[in-house]
């Protein structure tokens, strides 16, 4: 079958997945630490303390301690309100992971909260009767892949293996690679904020998807505060090369994958979504499917990472090169957005239109009322994985 014929097959097969209500409701639900009741309670306590200070302000000790308590409560209310909006910290385990990034006492508090598991126990859906063994079979490996030759001093990539992986040594699996956001993102984010382990179990329990491997890739280059945008940075880390040339071959070597482009998907959220789009378009020979949440197609404020190099900027700005791009192999793309972020919606449709104009399949999925946050990434992850599963099923296994 030639490229045009395969493209038509993918075009007929690819669509916005229709998922069971319990799966989508679970993905949209707030975690216990995202509840708006937390910041409302803290804000109410701050107001109550302020009232006491006003009433008893003539007493120096009350004034001093009251003002301190008011400031602390107000700060906590602001932080928890922001988290309720963004959806970055869902559970105590998520909080532990975040605190562990800090210094001194903050780091110690994180270790005390950490339950020692790579995925929070609460991330897994409650299994139906008789499904406990299958749920317990999910395994998460940390694949350390430093690559100093490409400027990557460390790389902790998380590999989520499906239930039954160890029980059936003859079976091979398709792979979805997910990239975190920038800055201050990291590969654990898809396990915590993104709830990839729990979402996979929910989808498999509902028989929506066949078992697959999901890899949360570390593209921080050891500096999570830097907005690398998954690029090959002049004089810096070669992150595109690291993903396509180091991580993918290592996963194929160490795990039982279906090591061909039609059983390999690349995705991400926000900055990781940009990286998935840019890297995926550069490597259509390695990835036949792209699944992107909160997409954008222009470097914008991150353009400085390329030191003003006009050729590098043009080569890494999909908005510029996609309209004239020649595809050596067909791709299928899902772009997921929240309707509360109109810029994301406009961008997704622009990318989809450009892909369709080049004969490629593109679908836009919109979550009503969601914004450019981890809430949206988590709510749309079931659709991203189900879309990848659609394209995997449409392709015969070759390895």
């Amino acid at each position: 079958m030639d490229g045009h014929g395969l493209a038509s097959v993918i075009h007929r097969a690819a669509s916005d997945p229709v998922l069971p209500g319990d799966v989508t409701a679970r993905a949209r639900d707030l975690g216990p630490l995202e509840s708006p009741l937390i910041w409302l309670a803290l804000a109410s306590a701050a107001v109550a303390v302020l009232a006491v200070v006003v009433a008893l302000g003539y007493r120096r000790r009350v004034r001093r301690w009251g003002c301190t308590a008011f400031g602390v409560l107000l700060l906590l209310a602001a932080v928890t309100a922001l988290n309720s909006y963004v959806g970055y910290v869902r559970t105590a385990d998520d909080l532990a992971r975040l605190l562990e990034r800090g210094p001194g006492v903050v780091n110690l508090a994180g270790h005390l909260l950490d339950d020692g598991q790579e995925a929070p126990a609460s991330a897994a859906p409650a299994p139906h009767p008789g499904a406990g063994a299958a749920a317990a079979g999910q395994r998460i490996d940390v694949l350390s892949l430093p690559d100093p030759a490409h400027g990557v001093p460390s790389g902790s990539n998380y590999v989520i293996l499906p239930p039954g992986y160890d029980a059936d040594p003859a079976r091979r699996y398709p792979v979805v690679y997910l990239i975190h956001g920038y800055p201050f993102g990291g590969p654990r984010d898809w396990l915590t904020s993104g709830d990839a382990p729990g979402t996979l179990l929910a989808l498999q329990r509902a028989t929506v998807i066949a078992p697959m491997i999901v890899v949360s890739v570390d593209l921080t280059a050891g500096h999570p505060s830097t907005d690398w945008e998954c690029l090959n940075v002049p004089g810096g880390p070669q992150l595109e090369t690291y993903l396509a040339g180091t991580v993918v071959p290592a996963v194929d070597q160490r795990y039982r994958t279906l090591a061909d482009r039609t059983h390999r998907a690349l995705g991400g959220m926000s900055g990781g979504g940009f990286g998935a789009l840019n890297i995926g378009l550069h490597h259509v020979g390695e990835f036949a499917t792209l699944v992107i949440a909160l997409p954008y197609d222009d470097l914008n404020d991150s353009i400085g990472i390329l030191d003003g190099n006009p050729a590098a900027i043009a080569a890494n700005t999909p908005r510029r090169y996609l309209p004239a791009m020649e595809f050596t192999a067909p791709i299928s793309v899902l772009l997921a957005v929240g309707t509360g972020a109109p810029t994301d919606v406009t961008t997704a449709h622009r990318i989809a239109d450009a892909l369709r104009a080049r004969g490629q399949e593109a679908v836009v999925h919109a979550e009503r009322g969601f914004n450019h946050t981890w809430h949206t990434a988590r709510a749309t992850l079931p659709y991203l994985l189900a879309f990848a599963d659609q394209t995997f099923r449409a392709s015969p296994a070759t390895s």
Side-chain angles (χ1 to χ4, degrees):
M1 181 180 294
D2 61 19
H4 294 293
L6 185 54
S8 66
V9 170
I10 291 180
H11 181 83
R12 289 195 301 270
S15 62
D16 191 0
V18 178
L19 303 180
D22 58 338
V23 172
T24 57
R26 181 189 175 283
R28 293 168 182 151
D29 280 349
L30 297 180
L33 296 188
E34 296 173 296
S35 171
L37 295 177
I38 297 175
W39 70 264
L40 287 171
L42 289 167
S44 299
V47 171
V49 168
L50 181 61
V52 171
V53 170
V54 170
L56 302 175
Y58 60 90
R59 299 176 62 174
R60 182 179 300 176
R61 179 173 295 181
V62 170
R63 188 169 64 248
R64 182 172 67 248
W65 285 103
C67 288
T68 300
F70 172 76
V72 170
L73 288 169
L74 197 61
L75 177 61
L76 289 173
V79 170
T80 52
L82 178 63
N83 182 64
S84 182
Y85 173 76
V86 173
Y88 190 66
V89 179
R90 299 176 307 121
T91 65
D93 189 78
D94 292 3
L95 180 60
R97 303 297 187 186
L98 180 63
L99 294 177
E100 285 174 353
R101 300 180 188 179
V105 176
V106 175
N107 181 273
L108 177 61
H111 282 288
L112 290 175
L113 282 173
D114 195 341
D115 62 7
Q117 299 179 6
E118 291 302 344
S122 58
H128 59 76
Q138 188 184 71
R139 193 178 93 214
I140 301 176
D141 290 353
V142 183
L143 182 59
S144 180
L145 294 173
D147 187 0
H150 290 111
V152 181
S154 62
S156 297
N157 304 278
Y158 291 82
V159 182
I160 307 174
L161 300 171
Y165 179 86
D166 293 316
D168 186 357
R171 184 168 183 173
R172 292 185 173 273
Y173 300 86
V175 186
V176 177
Y177 293 86
L178 296 176
I179 309 174
H180 53 79
Y182 289 98
F184 297 105
R188 277 181 174 173
D189 291 349
W190 276 111
L191 276 65
T192 54
S193 308
D195 190 27
T199 298
L200 280 164
L201 288 176
L203 287 167
Q204 291 173 26
R205 184 182 62 171
T207 66
V208 173
I209 65 172
M212 62 176 64
I213 296 171
V214 170
V215 181
S216 185
V217 185
D218 185 352
L219 293 188
T220 65
H223 298 278
S225 61
T226 302
D227 194 357
W228 297 117
E229 297 292 327
C230 313
L231 297 167
N232 281 346
V233 179
Q238 307 297 291
L239 292 171
E240 176 179 330
T241 301
Y242 172 70
L243 171 58
T246 300
V247 177
V248 170
V251 170
D252 286 340
Q253 181 181 17
R254 289 167 172 78
Y255 297 95
R256 299 193 311 277
T257 67
L258 290 165
D260 60 79
R261 66 179 300 274
T262 59
H263 293 92
R264 193 182 291 135
L266 178 61
M269 65 85 68
S270 192
F274 170 84
L277 177 65
N278 191 44
I279 295 173
L281 292 175
H282 289 172
H283 295 269
V284 296
E286 285 79 45
F287 303 100
T289 306
L290 305 181
V291 286
I292 300 169
L294 323 179
Y296 56 92
D297 55 358
D298 196 303
L299 286 166
N300 297 317
D301 295 339
S302 302
I303 199 169
I305 203 76
L306 293 175
D307 292 337
N309 184 315
I313 292 169
N316 290 283
T317 304
R319 188 173 183 177
R320 294 194 196 180
Y321 66 74
L322 179 53
M325 179 174 168
E326 294 294 331
F327 284 82
T328 57
I331 63 170
S332 191
V333 182
L334 179 68
L335 303 149
V337 295
T339 60
T343 300
D344 286 1
V345 175
T346 300
T347 300
H349 283 287
R350 180 174 64 238
I351 296 169
D353 290 343
L355 285 163
R356 293 180 191 126
R358 306 308 299 166
Q360 308 306 309
E361 176 62 29
V363 175
V364 176
H365 172 82
E367 285 287 310
R368 187 169 299 279
F370 281 69
N371 300 290
H372 192 98
T373 67
W374 266 107
H375 281 310
T376 310
R378 186 165 73 241
T380 58
L381 181 59
Y383 293 92
L384 302 182
L385 296 176
F387 184 86
D389 179 75
Q390 283 181 1
T391 60
F392 294 155
R393 290 174 187 258
S395 304
T398 59
S399 64

